[in-house]
Amino acid sequence: MPRSSRGVLLPPVTGSRPRRTDVYLALRDAVLQGTLAPGENVPSSRKAAIDYGVSRGLMEEVYSQLVEEGLLERIVGRGTFIAKRATKPTDPDRHEETIQGVSSVSTRGHKLAGNVACRIMRQFKPFNAGVADTTAFPWQIWQRIQARAVRDLRRADMNFTDPRGVPALRRSLAHHLAQLRGVRCAPDQVVVFNSIQQASYLLALLLTNPGDAAWVEDPCYPGARAALELAGTTIVPVPVDQQGLQVEEGLRRAPHARLACVTPSHQFPSGFVMSAERRTALLEWAHRQDTWILEDDYDGEFGHARQPATPLHSLDRHARVLYLGTLSKSMFVSLRLAFAVVPEAMVEQLANIRTQLDAFGAPLIQLAMSRFMDEGHFSTHVRHMRNVYAEKAAVLAEGLMPLANHGWSWEKGTAGLQILLRHPDAQEVQRTAEASGLALHLLSSYRHESAGGDGLLLRFGGLSISAIRAGVEQLVFAAQTMRHSSRNKSSQ
């Protein structure tokens, strides 16, 4: 593709000896389609002629015609520019082609494309902000570390890198997990991914055949269910209660399942911690059936009123638990770093499958993250954010107190970045609250099967204290308004 000395890429033309019409149509289409944007400086006719291998006279004719059509404009002493009013006309044939392309996708494609449960809102408001609070993030330290990582980036790191992850980060993660979560593993057991969903998907590809059963908590995080479905497993929803996954029900529904996907330290979205009895039963089942447990410890660092719950992985004596974690909650969501701790014999197999998907993760960000951990900044930040989120949870719980005697309930001493508020009339409250600008997700939207009772998931991590206070006031008002309205209807 020809390139001007000013850096603007000129559109290519077919043939080794382009004609005037070829050059004209290539430039015109590039302007109308937005490839060359309004205001961009194009090369002079002399330089463009050299790029295309044509005479300068031919380029002058092409430029003059485009100026007459209002697609180019020439400014004496400055050069030739794409006209600022150049617009893209409607192309009926192209529109029809697009429509036909959409209608011809596969049945599977339609089903997958219709699932918007994993789409994240980019505008955060009460209470859809289940992301890390970045206002207290040590940006200056992070920027300095990134700059050092850039300077120290070796030529080898600019080529294909280890699909398991940069060795330095794998060592740092192993040390971090032993310190903050009590997960003891060798660096060679750690594999770095872009997200827990990616890790779950690849592990499901490795460990299951199409159609194999997989236990999934019900309700659960939609991304976990989607990852297993994409891998071709048969989802077996297993209900959750205050003790976590109902193992006995899982045994009744699919005793020979190949996987169980659980969040035992802080069930999403209910917030419950799996009881010791359920943990023992789950581990015994996995050992007995020679099956696997995917432990999603998505926010394990953040316990507010207590120490974070012990990971299931630390209780596993038979190496059946595959531990998954993310740095999105403790750092920031666009970091795109997650990890899995697996048996060493599984690492190379997992890496080979990973190379067939996206080859490897970006080494620069992994090197920076490793240094951030090794120099103690990460543990300092996590300890600080524990206090920040504990304060936010306390403010939210205090604001909800007027609802405590009116059928509403929520988990006391919560952890993480969300609280589940339960009430049979949650749907009506959601409609009333959203009319005043709140963004609330129903518990039922996370269920695979319908069940009695509903609730509202209040995700507060990325909200300020003032936004939480204002939001909870609006929510309480909406709930009280609904209650008064129900009383009036019943008295009529």
Side-chain angles (χ1 to χ4, degrees):
M1 181 179 288
R3 180 173 181 142
S4 80
S5 60
R6 292 179 182 267
V8 174
L9 291 171
L10 293 176
V13 295
T14 57
S16 58
R17 300 185 65 181
R19 299 171 299 174
R20 178 188 181 281
T21 303
D22 298 329
V23 177
Y24 163 74
L25 290 176
L27 285 170
R28 186 202 67 171
D29 291 347
V31 174
L32 294 178
Q33 294 172 9
T35 305
L36 295 176
E40 279 195 314
N41 187 191
V42 297
S44 67
S45 59
R46 179 178 61 82
K47 292 175 181 175
I50 294 173
D51 285 344
Y52 280 124
V54 298
S55 68
R56 184 176 182 183
L58 183 150
M59 284 306 307
E60 278 291 342
E61 291 180 11
V62 170
Y63 274 15
S64 296
Q65 183 174 350
L66 293 172
V67 169
E68 290 178 7
E69 294 175 359
L71 300 180
L72 293 183
E73 56 184 15
R74 282 177 156 170
I75 302 175
V76 178
R78 293 185 58 193
T80 304
F81 299 84
I82 306 299
K84 294 183 178 180
R85 295 184 180 180
T87 57
K88 180 179 178 180
T90 302
D91 187 343
D93 294 335
R94 187 178 182 85
H95 182 61
E96 181 63 27
E97 177 186 353
T98 302
I99 293 176
Q100 291 177 357
V102 171
S103 63
S104 64
V105 302
S106 67
T107 301
R108 178 180 64 176
H110 270 299
K111 179 182 178 183
L112 294 174
N115 181 5
V116 297
C118 297
R119 293 293 292 268
I120 304 298
M121 300 296 294
R122 298 189 65 181
Q123 180 181 1
F124 296 123
K125 52 186 178 180
F127 284 95
N128 69 351
V131 298
D133 183 347
T134 58
T135 58
F137 187 78
W139 288 112
Q140 291 184 337
I141 294 174
W142 176 250
Q143 289 166 357
R144 287 199 300 269
I145 288 176
Q146 276 195 305
R148 283 164 46 204
V150 170
R151 289 195 299 270
D152 296 343
L153 195 67
R154 301 173 302 161
R155 186 176 297 275
D157 294 324
M158 300 173 71
N159 207 324
F160 289 98
T161 56
D162 195 331
R164 299 169 300 177
V166 171
L169 180 57
R170 297 169 71 199
R171 289 192 299 269
S172 302
L173 284 168
H175 181 67
H176 152 71
L177 290 172
Q179 274 197 335
L180 294 184
R181 296 299 289 125
V183 172
R184 303 198 176 278
C185 62
D188 286 342
Q189 293 179 257
V190 179
V191 184
V192 179
F193 295 98
N194 295 329
S195 66
I196 287 181
Q197 283 174 245
Q198 184 189 49
S200 300
Y201 172 64
L202 292 179
L203 284 166
L205 288 177
L206 176 62
L207 301 173
T208 67
N209 292 313
D212 282 351
W215 292 3
V216 177
E217 295 172 329
D218 193 19
C220 76
Y221 171 58
R225 185 164 56 226
L228 299 186
E229 287 179 332
L230 284 170
T233 65
T234 298
I235 300 298
V236 179
V238 181
V240 172
D241 60 20
Q242 292 188 356
Q243 296 186 60
L245 183 85
Q246 296 180 17
V247 179
E248 288 297 325
E249 184 62 19
L251 291 171
R252 188 185 69 79
R253 297 187 180 195
H256 304 295
R258 286 289 297 158
L259 282 178
C261 185
V262 295
T263 52
S265 295
H266 187 219
Q267 203 280 327
F268 186 93
S270 71
F272 297 129
V273 177
M274 185 180 288
S275 67
E277 292 78 11
R278 296 275 177 87
R279 290 169 182 246
T280 300
L282 185 61
L283 290 170
E284 288 178 350
W285 165 75
H287 173 53
R288 186 171 60 251
Q289 293 294 327
D290 192 27
T291 191
W292 300 96
I293 300 170
L294 301 188
E295 178 181 14
D296 182 350
D297 195 25
Y298 64 98
D299 64 355
E301 293 92 352
F302 301 119
H304 302 159
R306 51 172 168 73
Q307 282 294 313
T310 301
L312 195 63
H313 185 279
S314 300
L315 307 174
D316 178 20
R317 295 183 290 109
H318 302 288
R320 309 312 302 174
V321 176
L322 310 176
Y323 180 87
L324 310 179
T326 178
L327 298 174
S328 295
K329 299 292 187 185
S330 48
M331 292 284 286
F332 49 91
V333 70
S334 64
L335 184 70
R336 308 306 296 148
L337 282 179
F339 53 88
V341 177
V342 301
E344 286 191 40
M346 192 183 291
V347 170
E348 286 303 314
Q349 297 171 312
L350 196 57
N352 288 342
I353 297 177
R354 198 302 173 52
T355 59
Q356 299 171 57
L357 181 65
D358 68 346
F360 56 89
L364 177 59
I365 201 73
Q366 294 185 46
L367 288 170
M369 188 67 228
S370 174
R371 291 188 173 183
F372 192 75
M373 286 182 156
D374 292 347
E375 295 175 14
H377 306 300
F378 182 70
S379 57
T380 298
H381 179 61
V382 167
R383 283 193 292 269
H384 174 65
M385 295 312 296
R386 280 180 181 171
N387 296 330
V388 170
Y389 295 135
E391 181 183 4
K392 291 184 179 185
V395 169
L396 180 54
E398 182 182 1
L400 292 172
M401 287 307 295
L403 302 179
N405 298 322
H406 300 286
W408 294 88
S409 63
W410 57 94
E411 184 191 8
K412 305 302 189 293
T414 187
L417 315 185
Q418 69 273 337
I419 287 179
L420 180 62
L421 184 62
R422 293 177 178 271
H423 193 272
D425 296 326
Q427 291 188 26
E428 184 61 32
V429 174
Q430 181 204 36
R431 285 192 290 267
T432 305
E434 288 193 341
S436 61
L438 300 186
L440 306 171
H441 279 201
L442 289 168
L443 171 62
S444 54
S445 67
Y446 296 95
R447 293 191 186 279
H448 190 91
E449 299 176 335
S450 59
D454 209 342
L456 298 170
L457 188 63
L458 310 183
R459 295 177 292 175
F460 60 82
L463 300 176
S464 65
I465 294 289
S466 59
I468 292 173
R469 285 198 174 102
V472 75
E473 286 179 6
Q474 288 178 278
L475 177 58
V476 169
F477 178 77
Q480 292 173 338
T481 300
M482 182 212 68
R483 188 172 71 251
H484 294 323
S485 177
S486 299
R487 285 178 178 175
N488 292 335
K489 288 181 181 178
S490 61
S491 64
Q492 292 177 355

